[in-house]
Amino acid sequence: MDYIKREKLSTKSSLISIITNTLLAILKILIGFFTNSMAILADGFDTATDILTSFMTLIAGKISNRPPDIEHPYGHERAETIATKVVSLVIIYAGFEVFINSLKRLINKEIIIENIIYVVIVAFISVITKYILYKYRLSIGKKINSNAIIADALNMRNDILTSSSVLIGIGILYFTKVWWLDPLIAIGVSFMIFKTGFEQFMESSNEFMESSQELKKIYNDVIIEAEKLKCARKPHKVRARKFGHKIFVDMHLELPPDMTVKKANEICAKLEKNIKNRNNDIRDIVIHIEPYGNAEKECFGLSAENIKDLKGE
């Protein structure tokens, strides 16, 4: 998919998400103040963080879709990783604020909820809307292979659980009149927010450190394809790095010492094609050729033995 089409899809989905979440957040927060329900207010603050996440993915999408230049030869895709990191910290902070305020209300017993039926209606609207938005954002994220949009979609999936817990809890409160249910639900929501923020924080950290399950699979694919070549031996010093939706691979390979440069180039081109066929996200592979039995101290990258150990984890 070209940069222009990718940016258009990313921008459109982010704008739809921003507008929808803005309307939902305003509705929830207004109802929260009107009814004095901390649960729906917490849900509203959670939705407000979604506005920020969608806005961040919108900006990151525009930056990451720029073609490589002299200052960024690998491209700008790491902008999405930075956006995910910032968003995760905002989400964690929002969860902390909701937790503290809910705990204060629970301790002080400052709970008088009015017109509770409005809370139930708004929570129901939120569940339906969030589900539709989650499916839409997830499909776009997978289509353009954007980790930032996929992370945003998964956050919305958690919002469905959040709004569902509010809907069920307030429904029970409506019939039982148990006063402490509302702040207790809000505390539960805060833990859901914490969980989402922490997961996104760790995911972006793994990408910065170039360690993920996706890269482990890339290493395995490289070894499988290299070992299929009859004249090639000892694929080693294999390194893979992820930049947003793009993956770059470096590796060393031993070939017969008397092989011509032309023949070696043909073998490398075949290997590169086969590896890319296993994963369309791989954009470039650099293969360094060595003669059989080349003895070097390898300080970086993985060998076939290392990769087999990774597979067995």
Side-chain angles (χ1 to χ4, degrees):
M1 183 180 294
D2 59 46
Y3 286 103
I4 295 175
K5 187 175 180 181
R6 190 175 187 273
E7 183 178 355
K8 283 183 178 179
L9 287 172
S10 175
T11 300
K12 180 182 176 182
S13 67
S14 294
L15 287 174
I16 289 173
S17 179
I18 289 170
I19 293 169
T20 305
N21 281 318
T22 299
L23 294 173
L24 273 178
I26 292 172
L27 181 61
K28 289 177 185 179
I29 292 172
L30 286 176
I31 291 296
F33 283 120
F34 177 68
T35 63
N36 199 33
S37 170
M38 191 63 200
I40 198 67
L41 194 61
D43 195 11
F45 287 141
D46 183 36
T47 301
T49 64
D50 294 338
I51 302 170
L52 177 61
T53 60
S54 296
F55 184 74
M56 289 293 293
T57 56
L58 175 63
I59 300 300
K62 287 188 175 295
I63 296 173
S64 66
N65 285 318
R66 294 175 183 171
D69 55 37
I70 192 169
E71 293 182 347
H72 307 89
Y74 283 99
H76 299 77
E77 280 76 6
R78 279 279 170 89
E80 293 188 359
T81 312
I82 295 171
T84 303
K85 176 71 74 179
V86 173
V87 165
S88 69
L89 294 174
V90 172
I91 291 172
I92 290 171
Y93 176 76
F96 178 76
E97 284 295 311
V98 169
F99 175 77
I100 293 298
N101 290 327
S102 302
L103 190 62
K104 285 180 179 178
R105 291 193 69 184
L106 187 62
I107 293 172
N108 297 329
K109 299 182 181 180
E110 299 172 353
I111 303 141
I112 302 174
I113 303 176
E114 302 173 350
N115 301 304
I116 197 171
I117 190 64
Y118 292 127
V119 179
V120 176
I121 293 171
V122 171
F124 179 76
I125 292 172
S126 178
V127 170
I128 301 301
T129 306
K130 282 289 187 178
Y131 178 77
I132 296 172
L133 199 56
Y134 153 67
K135 297 294 287 184
Y136 170 67
R137 287 285 274 175
L138 186 64
S139 66
I140 295 297
K142 289 182 176 180
K143 188 172 183 178
I144 66 176
N145 199 8
S146 168
N147 285 341
I149 292 179
I150 291 174
D152 191 23
L154 294 178
N155 181 36
M156 290 178 190
R157 183 183 64 183
N158 293 333
D159 293 341
I160 298 169
L161 298 175
T162 301
S163 295
S164 296
S165 66
V166 172
L167 178 61
I168 294 169
I170 294 299
I172 295 172
L173 175 60
Y174 180 77
F175 291 105
T176 63
K177 309 300 181 183
V178 179
W179 64 268
W180 45 262
L181 268 178
D182 184 74
L184 197 64
I185 294 166
I187 290 173
V189 169
S190 73
F191 282 115
M192 292 181 187
I193 298 172
F194 274 134
K195 182 175 180 293
T196 299
F198 181 75
E199 287 174 349
Q200 291 191 19
F201 181 86
M202 293 306 298
E203 182 180 345
S204 59
S205 297
N206 287 336
E207 188 165 330
F208 274 128
M209 297 299 292
E210 296 176 354
S211 171
S212 67
Q213 290 298 324
E214 186 177 1
L215 290 182
K216 288 179 182 180
K217 183 181 182 303
I218 295 294
Y219 289 128
N220 189 53
D221 290 343
V222 168
I223 294 301
I224 289 174
E225 292 302 329
E227 291 181 341
K228 286 181 180 179
L229 300 174
K230 293 181 180 179
C231 58
R233 294 181 186 173
K234 198 180 177 183
H236 59 286
K237 212 168 183 180
V238 183
R239 289 166 287 182
R241 52 175 43 186
K242 194 168 185 294
F243 283 77
H245 63 286
K246 297 190 299 189
I247 295 172
F248 298 89
V249 178
D250 298 330
M251 64 179 294
H252 288 209
L253 188 69
E254 292 187 2
L255 291 176
D258 57 348
M259 180 175 286
T260 65
V261 174
K262 182 180 178 182
K263 183 63 178 177
N265 182 67
E266 289 173 357
I267 291 173
C268 290
K270 180 180 179 181
L271 177 58
E272 182 175 351
K273 180 181 178 182
N274 293 341
I275 294 172
K276 286 182 177 179
N277 285 339
R278 294 179 71 94
N279 192 311
N280 294 327
D281 295 331
I282 298 176
R283 293 302 174 89
D284 189 44
I285 303 174
V286 177
I287 305 174
H288 174 76
I289 299 301
E290 299 174 357
Y292 286 165
N294 186 61
E296 286 185 6
K297 184 179 180 181
E298 308 293 353
C299 300
F300 303 99
L302 300 177
S303 65
E305 291 74 21
N306 299 141
I307 292 167
K308 286 174 183 176
D309 290 340
L310 279 176
K311 190 177 178 182
E313 286 183 355

